[in-house]
Amino acid sequence: LRGLRDAPARTLAGLRSAGFDGLEASLEDLGASAEARAEAVRAARDEGLSLIISAYSSWANYEGPATEQLLSPPSAHLDRLTRELEAIAEASVAAGPLSPVLRVNAHSGSDAWSEDEAAAFLASAVEAASRIGEALPPVSHETHRGRAL
């Protein structure tokens, strides 16, 4: 979404005036720093827009070469996903009690793993989200486009 990182308030006001009710964006789309992401989430709240934030265990935004990232071990995927979930919780909390973040759409794992590796990874991902607690909106895991299972 052009302009979201540079001028979140103006960009999101434009979406609202165009009739949109919400959007899905990655952490990278929202900003490079915790404060920039919090500003974007607050701007969505102020415009009355719902927000779904994408989290990635690798190959963020499906940009750049995928093979090396998708073939990294499950522990590396879990570490990255956990960091992204923590950052999403932080941005959601920064918007206050009326946070517009409804859900996290996690692009999780790798289809190069065995079913046992994928199942263990997803169980660990659910556990990591649980440890983060109520600050984290519900998390859904995509299981296609090179992802687990």
Side-chain angles (χ1 to χ4, degrees):
L1 182 61
R2 278 207 175 121
L4 184 56
R5 287 184 73 170
D6 300 324
R10 183 179 67 221
T11 302
L12 294 171
L15 284 176
R16 174 46 89 194
S17 68
F20 288 88
D21 293 323
L23 69 146
E24 181 172 349
S26 69
L27 282 172
E28 289 182 15
D29 294 334
L30 296 176
S33 68
E35 182 50 41
R37 293 187 292 268
E39 178 186 349
V41 172
R42 286 190 297 266
R45 177 203 61 207
D46 293 347
E47 288 299 328
L49 292 168
S50 298
L51 194 56
I52 296 171
I53 302 180
S54 297
Y56 294 86
S57 70
S58 70
W59 197 22
N61 291 332
Y62 295 103
E63 295 175 348
T67 305
E68 208 172 293
Q69 293 180 46
L70 285 173
L71 294 178
S72 60
S75 60
H77 279 256
L78 184 60
D79 289 345
R80 179 187 169 116
L81 181 63
T82 300
R83 286 191 309 273
E84 292 229 341
L85 295 176
E86 289 168 344
I88 291 168
E90 181 181 351
S92 183
V93 166
L98 299 176
S99 175
V101 184
L102 301 180
R103 174 164 299 284
V104 177
N105 183 27
H107 301 261
S108 309
S110 171
D111 64 2
W113 300 340
S114 70
E115 284 189 35
D116 288 343
E117 287 174 309
F121 167 80
L122 289 170
S124 295
V126 168
E127 187 177 300
S130 179
R131 279 193 308 270
I132 294 169
E134 291 182 17
L136 184 65
V139 179
S140 301
H141 292 271
E142 287 198 14
T143 56
H144 62 94
R145 279 192 281 188
R147 300 303 176 177
L149 307 175

